[in-house]
Amino acid sequence: MAILSRMISAFAPIFLILSPITSYTDQILAIHRTRTSAGFSLDIPLIMLSASLLKIFYWPGKRYDLSLLVQAVIMLAMQSVLLKVALDNRPGWRSSGGGGDLPLRDEKTPLRPWGFWRWRSQRLYWQFLLLLSTLLLTLHLLLAPSPSTAQAYTTLLGGLGLAIEATLPLPQMWANHASRSCRGFRLSVLANWLFGDAMKMAFFFLSDDGKVPWAFKACGCFQAACDVLLGVQYWLYGEGGPGRGRGAV
């Protein structure tokens, strides 16, 4: 058991650091190659960009394992590229005409307040991310001089960031359920998510006490369970149209 723990401790950080690249490169290339992001949920970049920013600002107060911080920074870069490619290749993007700031309408997607994250204009997506980054930086600088307040803020920040990341599979699960198909969502992404879950669980629970906060462990378990359900969807629906998965009658 001690040997296994040492192997996990040595290998898992490298995998975690590289996981944003191995998980999303194929999805980026597939969208670029097919010139469409149909079937891919734009909420995935929203969740991962928001969670990564929160985890980056969580680190100064908690000083969790450095590999998880590096992973968050690389994830921020990869999700920015993924968002750009997905927005450039949205169905109807080039032919949508006027109303640049109006939200996109999709009968399969529930309406959101102010059309949040369903805007036609790419500018609004980047403005939101810039606003979020500025807000987090401002709060960090304002609360840093007060240790007690900063500690409470750090705890809130970490819990919020990890809870947001734990919901990562949910938008794609909803999109798959609505279309009865997993077309547009790469099997390579799912495979990396599941393998990543296994590595994270091993790293989180076999690491020395205090190295990985319990918030990481709890949210990781929830996300792993959702990823397994997403795998069940892929088995049922496949990448074809409705009713073409293995579970079709």
Side-chain angles (χ1 to χ4, degrees):
M1 188 65 178
I3 297 176
L4 177 61
S5 179
R6 285 197 293 269
M7 291 178 60
I8 293 294
S9 297
F11 177 71
I14 299 174
F15 174 81
L16 291 174
I17 290 172
L18 296 178
S19 62
I21 300 173
T22 58
S23 296
Y24 294 101
T25 297
D26 184 50
Q27 182 74 68
I28 292 170
L29 293 176
I31 294 174
H32 178 73
R33 183 172 58 250
T34 60
R35 298 296 180 184
T36 179
S37 59
F40 175 75
S41 175
L42 281 177
D43 288 330
I44 289 178
L46 168 63
I47 289 172
M48 293 310 301
L49 286 167
S50 301
S52 297
L53 283 170
L54 289 167
K55 287 197 294 183
I56 289 171
F57 282 96
Y58 177 45
W59 189 82
K62 192 64 177 178
R63 297 301 173 102
Y64 54 82
D65 191 78
L66 186 61
S67 62
L68 297 173
L69 173 64
V70 176
Q71 181 200 42
V73 173
I74 297 176
M75 183 67 77
L76 192 65
M78 288 298 296
Q79 292 297 325
S80 296
V81 174
L82 178 56
L83 176 61
K84 173 62 177 173
V85 172
L87 290 174
D88 283 345
N89 294 281
R90 280 185 299 182
W93 167 256
R94 296 179 178 83
S95 60
S96 59
D101 289 348
L102 296 177
L104 291 171
R105 298 296 299 274
D106 183 353
E107 66 276 3
K108 295 179 181 179
T109 304
L111 293 177
R112 300 182 179 186
W114 307 288
F116 178 72
W117 210 254
R118 289 295 181 268
W119 305 300
R120 291 182 183 275
S121 173
Q122 291 196 33
R123 171 177 52 85
L124 297 179
Y125 294 85
W126 305 114
Q127 284 182 348
F128 167 77
L129 294 171
L130 178 60
L131 178 62
L132 178 60
S133 303
T134 303
L135 176 63
L136 291 172
L137 178 60
T138 302
L139 289 173
H140 178 76
L141 295 176
L142 289 176
L143 298 176
S146 175
S148 59
T149 305
Q151 181 62 36
Y153 170 69
T154 295
T155 302
L156 175 64
L157 204 64
L160 182 61
L162 293 168
I164 290 174
E165 183 177 354
T167 67
L168 174 63
L170 299 183
Q172 191 63 53
M173 290 171 65
W174 173 258
N176 295 344
H177 173 74
S179 64
R180 310 293 289 182
S181 171
C182 295
R183 177 176 292 177
F185 179 63
R186 300 290 292 176
L187 180 60
S188 60
V189 174
L190 175 59
N192 273 281
W193 282 3
L194 292 171
F195 185 67
D197 290 334
M199 291 300 300
K200 283 193 296 184
M201 292 301 99
F203 179 61
F204 289 172
F205 288 97
L206 293 178
S207 296
D208 296 334
D209 291 342
K211 190 175 184 179
V212 179
W214 265 101
F216 277 90
K217 299 176 182 179
C219 293
C221 289
F222 176 80
Q223 185 176 346
C226 290
D227 288 341
V228 170
L229 292 177
L230 188 57
V232 172
Q233 279 190 325
Y234 212 100
W235 182 78
L236 290 174
Y237 301 149
E239 293 188 10
R244 293 183 60 184
R246 295 188 183 185
V249 177

